[in-house]
Amino acid sequence: MVSNQIPGRQLMSAVPVILAAGLSLLAGCTWLGGKEEAPTSAPVPRNEAPIAQGEEPQTSIDAALASGEAGNETQSVSAGPVLNASAPKSYTVQRGDTLWDIASVFLRDPWLWPEIWYVNPKVENPHLIYPGDVLALAYGADGSPQIRLESGGAARVHPLVRSSPLDGPIASIPYGAIVSFLGRPSVVSKEDLHMAPHVVALRDSHMVAGAGHEIYVKGTVDGEGSRYNVVRVGEALKDPDGGDVLGYMGTYTGTVRVERVGDPSKALITESARETTDGDLLFVDDASGTAELIPHAPQSDVQGQIISVVDGVYLIGEYQVVAINRGKKHGLEPGHVLAADEAGKTVRSPCRRSDGLLCFGKKNVKLPDERAGTMLVFKVYERMSYALVVNTISPLRVADRVRTP
């Protein structure tokens, strides 16, 4: 009979050969950086992660938050940002997507997107992403993740005839959430207070004016036919760190159309939400630069507070605009992402005695701040900024803290 077993001595002598062969195979794998060739990727038919039976479908931001809480389930790489556990190998950009949504699909911390976005020098406007583009996940020579434009770029350079209009590049954030605010600010900065044109008088000696009335405007305005929103200046907003006035609450009163440019100019009130009086400010819709915002974290340590919220609500939720007491002076710029923390309350410590008798001298205890959401700065002044709350874990309030994430 012939034995099928390897004698112990022969087995021991074969171990080094087997180990050497295994290490040789691993050294040739591209994910270990053995070659300097361009990263490769493997597209999948669908960009959504599979949904387990019985589970509700999730949005991309919901998936990002869920994977962020997974902790040790997230992927591990030798360098760079941490990927979501459910990050797909490829993603086809959909109409209505935002850059924040896409970054949340791939990354646990979406604001680290600039660190993984690979700029292809062969693509015209490589920073712009369009519906229909396929973004592929790959790894660099050092093992760090990269997102590359796998297809779609050539179509933009040499467009084909289409039966429907060509979609424009995706926006960084939900633009509709801030467009009305930019033209009708509910918070007026000190800079706007001094620079914006203002109502100097009402025609025919009216005390207040509404739709159909004419007004006179002092300050620089665009040509005849240009439209402005009128905002009433209200309560002052003070910096909680020193008491200085940073801005003022604002209330939209109506819309005007410039009829004659001069000093002063004349305008007609075409729409009215409430009465307009002298001293009210004029604001033109300002949407410049919002589509080019690239989410990224501040380089310096920023510590501030929410000082106001648009619409005067008590609880601040997703896609609401807030004002914070930090600006250019503190290193902020449009596109900066800030973490928002619910300010810890101060409570009275319980008094306990082993003998059961009453005791006195309770002490105040300051509870720690807790992470409550994330916001993206979109308009910056010298000492204050406006930011859009892009997601919330729990409702925010005025006086809650903001900081570098």
Side-chain angles (χ1 to χ4, degrees):
M1 179 180 296
V2 178
S3 174
N4 292 326
Q5 297 180 349
I6 301 175
R9 182 175 301 174
Q10 295 180 4
L11 177 62
M12 293 300 295
S13 62
V15 169
V17 177
I18 296 172
L19 290 176
L23 292 174
S24 177
L25 288 174
L26 289 175
C29 293
T30 56
W31 64 270
L32 285 177
K35 298 181 180 180
E36 294 297 329
E37 297 176 359
T40 59
S41 58
V44 294
R46 291 290 295 171
N47 25 328
E48 295 90 353
I51 300 174
Q53 186 175 2
E55 292 185 1
E56 293 293 330
Q58 292 182 311
T59 65
S60 58
I61 290 182
D62 291 336
L65 290 175
S67 62
E69 295 172 355
N72 55 9
E73 295 181 4
T74 54
Q75 296 181 10
S76 176
V77 295
S78 60
V82 178
L83 297 175
N84 275 336
S86 58
K89 293 183 178 180
S90 70
Y91 181 86
T92 302
V93 180
Q94 306 295 322
R95 185 178 301 175
D97 279 349
T98 65
L99 180 58
W100 184 266
D101 294 332
I102 296 173
S104 298
V105 169
F106 287 100
L107 290 176
R108 189 178 66 182
D109 299 323
W111 55 88
L112 298 178
W113 177 264
E115 297 186 23
I116 69 169
W117 175 243
Y118 172 78
V119 177
N120 189 343
K122 297 181 181 179
V123 176
E124 185 178 3
N125 296 326
H127 291 286
L128 301 182
I129 302 174
Y130 294 76
D133 284 349
V134 177
L135 307 181
L137 174 63
Y139 292 91
D142 61 351
S144 61
Q146 292 182 354
I147 301 298
R148 292 181 170 232
L149 181 62
E150 187 175 68
S151 65
R156 284 183 270 149
V157 178
H158 304 289
L160 302 175
V161 176
R162 295 171 181 259
S163 59
S164 59
L166 182 66
D167 288 319
I170 64 171
S172 300
I173 56 178
Y175 176 70
I178 65 174
V179 63
S180 60
F181 170 80
L182 293 174
R184 304 175 181 180
S186 296
V187 179
V188 179
S189 69
K190 290 181 67 175
E191 291 90 336
D192 285 337
L193 181 66
H194 296 295
M195 298 296 295
H198 62 278
V199 179
V200 68
L202 312 179
R203 191 177 179 186
D204 298 330
S205 301
H206 289 295
M207 298 296 294
V208 296
H213 291 167
E214 292 181 320
I215 61 175
Y216 294 102
V217 178
K218 189 74 172 177
T220 302
V221 296
D222 295 334
E224 295 180 4
S226 57
R227 296 172 63 87
Y228 286 82
N229 294 316
V230 184
V231 174
R232 171 84 39 79
V233 178
E235 178 185 358
L237 297 173
K238 296 184 178 181
D239 188 345
D241 291 339
D244 295 338
V245 175
L246 301 181
Y248 301 84
M249 297 298 296
T251 302
Y252 169 74
T253 68
T255 302
V256 301
R257 182 181 68 245
V258 176
E259 293 188 319
R260 186 183 66 228
V261 177
D263 187 19
S265 300
K266 186 171 71 171
L268 174 69
I269 301 177
T270 58
E271 300 177 21
S272 183
R274 61 186 64 207
E275 69 278 358
T276 294
T277 63
D278 58 306
D280 291 349
L281 303 182
L282 273 65
F283 291 91
V284 67
D285 288 348
D286 180 16
S288 60
T290 53
E292 291 76 31
L293 293 176
I294 304 299
H296 58 291
Q299 296 297 318
S300 57
D301 181 33
V302 177
Q303 300 285 338
Q305 285 184 255
I306 299 174
I307 59 175
S308 178
V309 56
V310 172
D311 299 329
V313 297
Y314 177 68
L315 297 178
I316 305 168
E318 189 173 281
Y319 299 151
Q320 287 189 289
V321 175
V322 298
I324 61 175
N325 64 334
R326 292 294 182 265
K328 295 178 184 177
K329 178 181 178 181
H330 310 93
L332 283 184
E333 62 184 35
H336 271 163
V337 174
L338 298 175
D341 295 335
E342 180 182 358
K345 298 178 180 179
T346 299
V347 298
R348 298 282 286 175
S349 63
C351 183
R352 298 178 180 177
R353 286 182 54 162
S354 58
D355 57 10
L357 297 177
L358 294 176
C359 58
F360 301 94
K362 291 185 178 181
K363 296 182 179 180
N364 291 333
V365 177
K366 174 68 167 60
L367 300 180
D369 297 343
E370 296 289 349
R371 180 68 179 270
T374 307
M375 60 182 63
L376 188 142
V377 176
F378 64 87
K379 194 173 183 65
V380 179
Y381 295 94
E382 187 64 24
R383 297 180 59 191
M384 66 173 288
S385 300
Y386 300 136
L388 178 70
V389 178
V390 290
N391 65 48
T392 55
I393 302 171
S394 59
L396 294 163
R397 298 172 176 80
V398 172
D400 280 347
R401 310 294 301 182
V402 298
R403 57 177 173 82
T404 300

